[in-house]
Amino acid sequence: GEVDDNTLVVTYGMILLWTVGGGMHSCFDISVWYISACACCHPGGILEQCGYCKKFGSVLMVVIIAVVVAISTFIAVLRASIESSDAEISISNITSGGINDDVVDLGKIDGLQSFEFVLTFVIEMLLTYIIYFPLLGTILFTGILGCGRVPFLGGRPREVWLENKKRIQQSHSDDNTIPQWEDM
């Protein structure tokens, strides 16, 4: 798809790219949320004795997000430089991403028209946060795919089931520690 005279030509490839990209963005966002909100090191979690790890998920996410933003920014500038280039550039000619002496000059960008591809990215983000993320979040939270028992896909029903199972086990262990007096 190209932007010509304020129109956007939408192809089946772009729709596929928006769908796959939107799904990947949604999965990444849910993973970021899951890792940063991980309660395994908090009281009651599997690793509660590792108290120093409570902030590890949040710190890890800051580092991962910073790296992803840096790589994404580099790719956007590289793409804009390729769009601005007068030469016909093929992937085989790009050996260092414009950092060394490739046919791509990272310093040469012909203004905003070199960033027209960002419009399709904005459309992908709109689809992601209006359609794909709420849909994927609902599917994962309700546990439709996990039938309530499969880890990660079981959603809230699995969490309720595990909590009930834990309570039953605790009540049985409490019953075994108290001596039982029976009438003869």
Side-chain angles (χ1 to χ4, degrees):
E2 298 176 7
V3 179
D4 294 324
D5 300 328
N6 296 327
T7 60
L8 178 66
V9 178
V10 178
T11 64
Y12 289 114
M14 290 177 72
I15 293 171
L16 176 68
L17 182 65
W18 291 338
T19 303
V20 171
M24 289 176 59
H25 279 284
S26 297
C27 289
F28 179 75
D29 291 345
I30 289 172
S31 299
V32 165
W33 178 85
Y34 185 77
I35 291 171
S36 65
C38 179
C40 62
C41 296
H42 292 280
I46 297 170
L47 301 171
E48 72 179 319
Q49 64 271 19
C50 300
Y52 58 90
C53 290
K54 287 182 183 178
K55 303 250 185 237
F56 180 72
S58 297
V59 172
L60 177 65
M61 286 295 80
V62 168
V63 171
I64 288 174
I65 297 297
V67 169
V68 167
V69 167
I71 291 170
S72 301
T73 303
F74 174 73
I75 290 172
V77 170
L78 179 63
R79 168 91 186 255
S81 297
I82 290 172
E83 297 276 331
S84 297
S85 177
D86 296 332
E88 190 66 32
I89 298 175
S90 69
I91 296 295
S92 62
N93 294 340
I94 301 174
T95 56
S96 68
I99 296 173
N100 291 330
D101 43 334
D102 286 338
V103 292
V104 178
D105 183 13
L106 286 180
K108 183 183 178 209
I109 296 176
D110 293 335
L112 289 179
Q113 66 268 19
S114 298
F115 289 97
E116 288 177 349
F117 65 92
V118 174
L119 176 62
T120 59
F121 179 72
V122 168
I123 292 171
E124 180 182 325
M125 289 290 96
L126 288 172
L127 289 171
T128 296
Y129 292 116
I130 293 173
I131 297 172
Y132 302 124
F133 184 76
L135 182 67
L136 190 61
T138 301
I139 288 171
L140 291 176
F141 182 76
T142 58
I144 293 171
L145 299 177
C147 301
R149 301 285 169 96
V150 178
F152 185 72
L153 296 177
R156 181 73 180 140
R158 181 176 186 273
E159 296 299 320
V160 170
W161 176 75
L162 287 174
E163 192 63 33
N164 289 337
K165 183 178 172 183
K166 186 176 171 182
R167 278 194 201 128
I168 291 170
Q169 287 175 347
Q170 285 178 347
S171 68
H172 286 308
S173 67
D174 291 344
D175 291 343
N176 292 336
T177 58
I178 301 172
Q180 300 291 324
W181 300 99
E182 295 182 18
D183 292 333
M184 294 190 159

